[in-house]
Amino acid sequence: MLFFSLRYSDLHVFELQETTQVIEWTGEKSICVAGSKSGSRNEILELALPQRLYSKQNQGLCPERDFKVVHGGFSDRPISCLKHIRGTRILVSSGPPDSSLQLWQIGADDSDVIKPLHCIHNKEHTKKWSRIATSASGSPCVLHGSEVKDIQVTDLESKKAIYSLDTDNADSVSSLELLSKDEFLLCSGRGHLWLVDMRQPGSLATPCTVLPQGEGLHWCMGIRNRLSESDAASSRVARLSSSGHVLVTDMRDARSPLCQAKLNLSCESSDYNIMTVTWAPAFDDCLAVSGFNGKVHIYNTKSWIPAFTEEEPLFIHKGHAIAEGPDDWRSAVVTTHVWHPWKPRTLLSAATNGSLHVWDWIDQKMES
């Protein structure tokens, strides 16, 4: 308990029945998780976070009973990506064996059930599951695609495609983000980054950034939250490679990186789909990285420079890698993490051993 008291102001643990690759906020105090196991039915659950998480006093380590299942359902396929449509009780998911999307309603007919509604198909059917981004305002729509050439925006009310790219680029899609009703960001698995204006014809321009050389690398991206849609062009993007290289780009001048770093991450996973990089909502220069091993690493990018340098983490969450047996820690790899929307140092993370953690870390440099 001393270890936790020195490094955390709060830590809550929960054991899921299935491994989840998704943690999606559905409200200020609720999240959705879903199973990702192939060849079986997978649960999709809405969980209420522990009430003590919102107490003014620090509560330390809390037992799993403090999490409550509010709504639940079953999916006939693994769920690899899950997004909530803000202002509604609708979820959109994707997963193997193809690129189609599944829509869900939370609490259908005033029940405790998460009910499947219908499917959305890409303009080109592929055997890769789709990445998803949802709109934060205006008419509910979803941006989706598994390859660059099949990216489209679908209006959820009419179920019709309202935008698609005109390209034969078959690169895999690693990350998507709707910046506004008119613009979105696309990152390919090769790390190429495009800023797409949907008011222009759907042809794809040359990528707006140049990457360092590196064969066989996979990339994903995370975007720093913006205050409003009006400053979408000033978005700051972090791209993370499977070798632990991070490039930070200011979209106002995307020709060269704002800063970059090599992260010293031991890689215990070959699944590039669970690589995750996210910006802290409350701290301009703070980001978190996971998907390489049983840890979540937090970095302060404020001191990073444009030249390539090796950087050390500000904090490491090791809770998922703590062994219950001689070799248990080796098989626990963090599958996803998210920041709390308004508690500055609180994150949620999940791992391949079914563990789900909510933790509030202490910045010891600031505390000292």
Side-chain angles (χ1 to χ4, degrees):
M1 190 67 180
L2 178 62
F3 168 79
F4 294 116
S5 66
L6 290 175
R7 299 179 59 84
Y8 300 89
S9 60
D10 220 345
L11 175 62
H12 305 255
V13 299
F14 185 63
E15 295 299 322
L16 300 172
Q17 295 297 314
E18 304 169 345
T19 298
T20 184
Q21 293 184 9
V22 295
I23 303 174
E24 177 70 1
W25 289 98
T26 55
E28 286 190 355
K29 300 181 181 180
S30 60
I31 58 169
C32 265
V33 297
S36 57
K37 185 177 180 180
S38 298
S40 65
R41 300 183 78 195
N42 287 275
E43 281 189 305
I44 177 170
L45 303 172
E46 184 180 39
L47 303 177
L49 269 63
Q51 289 296 316
R52 279 186 281 182
L53 184 65
Y54 304 96
S55 171
K56 293 182 179 180
Q57 296 181 350
N58 294 334
Q59 299 294 331
L61 186 64
C62 297
E64 65 180 35
R65 65 176 180 269
D66 290 334
F67 287 79
K68 179 183 178 183
V69 176
V70 183
H71 297 94
F74 289 94
S75 171
D76 291 330
R77 61 171 67 199
I79 294 181
S80 302
C81 188
L82 181 72
K83 299 294 181 182
H84 173 238
I85 305 297
R86 291 190 194 178
T88 75
R89 297 294 283 165
I90 302 297
L91 300 169
V92 185
S93 70
S94 66
D98 57 36
S99 57
S100 63
L101 308 185
Q102 292 71 50
L103 267 66
W104 306 82
Q105 183 174 350
I106 304 173
D109 303 319
D110 295 325
S111 69
D112 59 0
V113 175
I114 298 178
K115 176 184 177 181
L117 296 176
H118 56 264
C119 291
I120 294 175
H121 297 280
N122 285 52
K123 61 179 181 179
E124 292 192 23
H125 182 85
T126 72
K127 293 183 179 180
K128 303 175 185 177
W129 55 271
S130 291
R131 268 56 176 185
I132 305 171
T134 55
S135 61
S137 61
S139 178
C141 64
V142 59
L143 169 67
H144 56 106
S146 59
E147 296 178 348
V148 174
K149 65 182 181 181
D150 69 11
I151 286 177
Q152 68 185 56
V153 178
T154 302
D155 180 84
L156 294 183
E157 293 180 353
S158 65
K159 306 178 185 63
K160 294 181 179 180
I162 56 176
Y163 179 86
S164 62
L165 285 175
D166 181 15
T167 179
D168 58 0
N169 188 322
D171 285 357
S172 64
V173 176
S174 70
S175 310
L176 292 169
E177 183 77 14
L178 274 166
L179 300 179
S180 69
K181 63 181 179 63
D182 298 318
E183 293 180 312
F184 69 84
L185 267 175
L186 154 65
C187 181
S188 72
R190 296 170 62 187
H192 297 311
L193 187 65
W194 288 272
L195 176 61
V196 180
D197 188 335
M198 292 182 282
R199 294 166 294 188
Q200 304 298 325
S203 59
L204 196 63
T206 302
C208 56
T209 57
V210 177
L211 285 173
Q213 296 297 317
E215 294 296 328
L217 296 182
H218 181 85
W219 294 77
C220 64
M221 74 171 179
I223 301 174
R224 191 178 69 182
N225 288 352
R226 305 165 310 281
L227 295 176
S228 66
E229 288 190 358
S230 62
D231 62 346
S234 65
S235 298
R236 185 170 294 185
V237 180
R239 277 173 293 167
L240 169 69
S241 81
S242 51
S243 67
H245 188 175
V246 175
L247 284 170
V248 178
T249 303
D250 188 325
M251 294 309 298
R252 290 171 295 188
D253 184 9
R255 293 169 297 178
S256 58
L258 183 68
C259 58
Q260 58 181 315
K262 176 66 172 70
L263 312 183
N264 185 18
L265 302 169
S266 61
C267 187
E268 299 167 15
S269 172
S270 59
D271 187 357
Y272 298 148
N273 291 317
I274 61 175
M275 279 173 34
T276 309
V277 56
T278 58
W279 290 94
F283 303 117
D284 286 345
D285 302 300
C286 197
L287 57 78
V289 170
S290 69
F292 291 81
N293 47 46
K295 306 168 187 176
V296 182
H297 295 74
I298 297 175
Y299 295 86
N300 185 352
T301 66
K302 190 172 184 178
S303 62
W304 292 10
I305 59 176
F308 187 65
T309 58
E310 187 166 314
E311 298 291 341
E312 294 299 320
L314 183 66
F315 184 89
I316 304 176
H317 175 59
K318 302 178 181 179
H320 295 286
I322 293 176
E324 295 181 1
D327 299 312
D328 286 354
W329 70 271
R330 293 186 181 276
S331 62
V333 176
V334 175
T335 53
T336 189
H337 72 264
V338 296
W339 293 83
H340 194 286
W342 50 267
K343 291 178 72 71
R345 292 190 179 88
T346 298
L347 291 91
L348 287 76
S349 53
T352 51
N353 58 5
S355 57
L356 173 65
H357 293 179
V358 185
W359 43 283
D360 195 306
W361 56 284
I362 295 174
D363 186 342
Q364 294 180 332
K365 290 182 179 179
M366 293 183 65
E367 297 290 331
S368 59

